[in-house]
Amino acid sequence: MSPRSFFSQLFSLRKTDHNLANRNKDNTCQQRTRWHYIVQFFIVVALLSSAVWLLMAIWYQFGSHSPISWLVTAMIVSLLTSLLTLRYFSNIFNNKLSKNKTVESRLSKGNIAKNTASNSIAFNKGTTTKITATKWLFGLYTSVWLIGVGWFISITPQQQRDWQPDVSQRLSYQRDSNNPDLITFTNVRNFDWHSANETNANKTSKNTVERWESRTVDLSKLSGVDVINSYWMGPLIAHTLVSFRFEDDRPLSFSLEIRKENGEYFSALGGFFKRFELSLIAAEERDIIYTRTNVRGEQVYLFPVSHLQQREIRSLFESYLTVADELNTEPAWYNTLTSNCTNIIFYMARIVSGQRLPWDYRIWVSGWLPNYLYDIGMLDAAPEQDGQPWSMDKWYEQAHINPKVKGFVNQSPDTTDMSISDVRNSDFSTQIRQGIPIPLLADSHAIRVNPN
């Protein structure tokens, strides 16, 4: 090989290696740039999300008529707008400006060095100023946000407010000293609710007759439990109640609800921001179910739970007593996601069942709770139809309460006569269970099948 050919190949290899190194360097820079943009994107999302959360907390706590809501909103929006504009959107403007200056410098070839030096100095000064301003704005926004978080954490639930009548009283109870199975409740709700038709027929009647009563139940007579779903916001969202049945007495219903103040309305979003205290209501079914079926027009379904032993039902009942004790000792917040009417029941039921209830997304999608019970085999006590057990569609058809109580007159002839009121309570509880198979307790059923 001639010397000329050798050096020609050598330089060509060096040139190839140099080009390969440049390409690798460019690829590395592109990857770094890509990750840089991804990180910046999540930073912007985090800033916007934090601002939205704090603003929603403030607006749900103080309301739209409070000057505090508008003042804090203006402050946060101004800080965040200035920060994002200076940190991110100014780069677009600077890039365009630098391109224009580059073009101008190329047109004046004689001043290239001078323009380059002056642009470099101006760029460095501008970059330093922007970084300093960005740090100050970010620090100020972070301080405001942390103060807001501290304020939110400091908000505590209260026992004394101007409550609406249906949640104005707190449930309490006392055990009989000689027989611990006898529980006497105070402030069991037994309101007379009247639909619009009943109110119009009797111009002198009020829409609601308030009545808080005492009632004694015998835990040794517990015979079953029913899950009641009241749909008020489409098929996915329902309010869940639990009714306990007794052998020789009418059922007693428990409902975990928001404790609304006068003039206050439920908000699912507000439930995330400490807007409502939690309330435990014990009530007669003629009160707490009739108001949903006949007064509010909600669609209500009753599902008797099967394969339960009396000790499990008793433990679930005792769990409600524990909740009553806790709320009387220290009030708690209702939370749309973690402490609502459905998942609290599931937490209690899972504990008393020895953790045998599996976790499922339908615990949080309360409207599908009956489907969950059906799938885990706790709604299979229905009689067979044409040789087949009931489908879920059949269960919904039979469990629908509204057609069974349509036209039920809820007004007692004498609201002061407790015996008449008790009869009407029993009549209503019997009527809503028409056409629904009521299962025996699992342990009592086993005794009947195999007495030995």
Side-chain angles (χ1 to χ4, degrees):
M1 178 182 293
S2 65
R4 182 177 181 180
S5 300
F6 173 78
F7 284 110
S8 176
Q9 291 183 10
L10 179 62
F11 288 134
S12 64
L13 288 173
R14 288 182 177 179
K15 185 176 180 180
T16 302
D17 293 341
H18 181 69
N19 292 337
L20 182 61
N22 287 337
R23 285 197 298 268
N24 291 335
K25 184 177 181 180
D26 291 340
N27 291 335
T28 302
C29 291
Q30 289 178 0
Q31 291 179 357
R32 289 178 180 176
T33 302
R34 188 181 302 113
W35 280 109
H36 172 77
Y37 284 128
I38 292 174
V39 171
Q40 296 301 313
F41 171 77
F42 281 108
I43 291 176
V44 172
V45 171
L47 287 173
L48 293 176
S49 301
S50 64
V52 169
W53 176 86
L54 182 57
L55 290 177
M56 292 184 70
I58 290 171
W59 279 78
Y60 275 110
Q61 286 295 323
F62 294 100
S64 59
H65 299 291
S66 173
I68 296 177
S69 301
W70 291 99
L71 181 62
V72 176
T73 299
M75 180 189 303
I76 293 176
V77 170
S78 299
L79 283 174
L80 204 56
T81 302
S82 301
L83 177 61
L84 294 178
T85 301
L86 186 63
R87 178 63 181 85
Y88 299 103
F89 299 108
S90 64
N91 291 337
I92 301 175
F93 175 76
N94 289 337
N95 290 336
K96 291 183 178 180
L97 186 62
S98 63
K99 288 181 180 179
N100 293 334
K101 289 185 176 181
T102 301
V103 173
E104 292 176 359
S105 64
R106 287 177 180 176
L107 293 177
S108 55
K109 296 181 179 179
N111 297 325
I112 291 178
K114 182 178 180 180
N115 289 337
T116 302
S118 61
N119 289 341
S120 177
I121 295 173
F123 177 78
N124 291 333
K125 288 183 178 179
T127 302
T128 304
T129 303
K130 188 178 76 170
I131 292 175
T132 303
T134 301
K135 289 182 178 179
W136 275 99
L137 287 172
F138 184 79
L140 185 57
Y141 173 78
T142 303
S143 300
V144 171
W145 191 79
L146 290 176
I147 291 173
V149 171
W151 157 78
F152 184 78
I153 294 175
S154 68
I155 302 174
T156 57
Q158 303 295 321
Q159 296 282 26
Q160 303 298 327
R161 296 188 191 271
D162 184 18
W163 305 114
Q164 292 188 9
D166 56 330
V167 290
S168 61
Q169 304 299 320
R170 286 183 289 160
L171 179 68
S172 60
Y173 69 93
Q174 186 174 5
R175 294 182 183 271
D176 188 281
S177 57
N178 298 321
N179 185 359
D181 287 339
L182 295 179
I183 307 293
T184 299
F185 288 100
T186 304
N187 293 326
V188 175
R189 208 177 72 191
N190 188 22
F191 283 20
D192 282 338
W193 300 87
H194 305 306
S195 64
N197 293 333
E198 291 175 318
T199 304
N200 291 334
N202 185 359
K203 300 296 183 180
T204 60
S205 67
K206 296 193 301 181
N207 187 48
T208 305
V209 178
E210 301 174 19
R211 188 189 301 110
W212 297 92
E213 301 174 349
S214 296
R215 178 177 168 182
T216 301
V217 297
D218 188 350
L219 298 187
S220 66
K221 301 295 184 180
L222 281 167
S223 61
V225 62
D226 303 323
V227 171
I228 301 163
N229 260 25
S230 182
Y231 294 83
W232 54 275
M233 192 180 172
L236 301 181
I237 306 298
H239 180 74
T240 305
L241 307 89
V242 173
S243 279
F244 291 90
R245 300 191 305 272
F246 298 89
E247 293 178 4
D248 54 359
D249 201 355
R250 61 192 183 277
L252 179 65
S253 285
F254 288 97
S255 176
L256 285 157
E257 304 182 1
I258 64 171
R259 201 173 186 191
K260 293 180 291 188
E261 301 175 56
N262 278 315
E264 194 172 46
Y265 298 93
F266 175 74
S267 168
L269 285 176
F272 288 103
F273 299 100
K274 296 185 178 181
R275 190 67 189 91
F276 310 106
E277 279 86 356
L278 187 65
S279 175
L280 175 62
I281 300 296
E284 300 288 348
E285 291 182 327
R286 184 180 66 90
D287 169 336
I288 205 162
I289 295 178
Y290 180 90
T291 182
R292 288 170 165 79
T293 56
N294 292 55
V295 179
R296 301 178 188 173
E298 300 174 9
Q299 301 304 307
V300 186
Y301 299 80
L302 184 145
F303 299 92
V305 182
S306 61
H307 299 311
L308 292 178
Q309 299 182 8
Q310 190 185 60
R311 62 175 179 81
E312 294 177 317
I313 298 175
R314 181 182 181 124
S315 296
L316 183 60
F317 194 98
E318 296 274 3
S319 297
Y320 277 100
L321 301 183
T322 302
V323 173
D325 289 336
E326 291 175 350
L327 291 178
N328 285 330
T329 302
E330 184 178 359
W333 291 114
Y334 172 94
N335 186 281
T336 302
L337 183 63
T338 61
S339 302
N340 60 43
C341 61
T342 302
N343 53 37
I344 292 179
I345 297 171
F346 175 77
Y347 300 151
M348 295 188 298
R350 196 166 190 269
I351 292 173
V352 303
S353 65
Q355 313 294 332
R356 67 184 176 95
L357 293 178
W359 290 98
D360 194 281
Y361 70 94
R362 288 169 291 190
I363 302 305
W364 290 271
V365 185
S366 54
W368 289 348
L369 180 62
N371 302 69
Y372 167 79
L373 296 175
Y374 182 84
D375 289 342
I376 63 176
M378 303 189 77
L379 290 181
D380 62 349
E384 294 186 353
Q385 183 181 27
D386 299 328
Q388 297 294 328
W390 281 7
S391 65
M392 195 64 225
D393 290 338
K394 180 66 175 180
W395 263 111
Y396 273 112
E397 178 185 348
Q398 294 298 115
H400 196 195
I401 290 177
N402 296 63
K404 302 174 185 179
V405 295
K406 185 177 181 180
F408 184 88
V409 180
N410 200 38
Q411 185 176 3
S412 300
D414 185 356
T415 57
T416 61
D417 192 334
M418 299 307 299
S419 60
I420 296 178
S421 178
D422 291 346
V423 169
R424 295 187 66 78
N425 290 335
S426 298
D427 290 344
F428 183 85
S429 296
T430 301
Q431 197 162 325
I432 63 177
R433 289 173 174 80
Q434 290 178 355
I436 301 178
I438 304 300
L440 297 172
L441 292 173
D443 44 359
S444 65
H445 181 64
I447 292 174
R448 289 187 182 185
V449 173
N450 184 12
N452 297 325

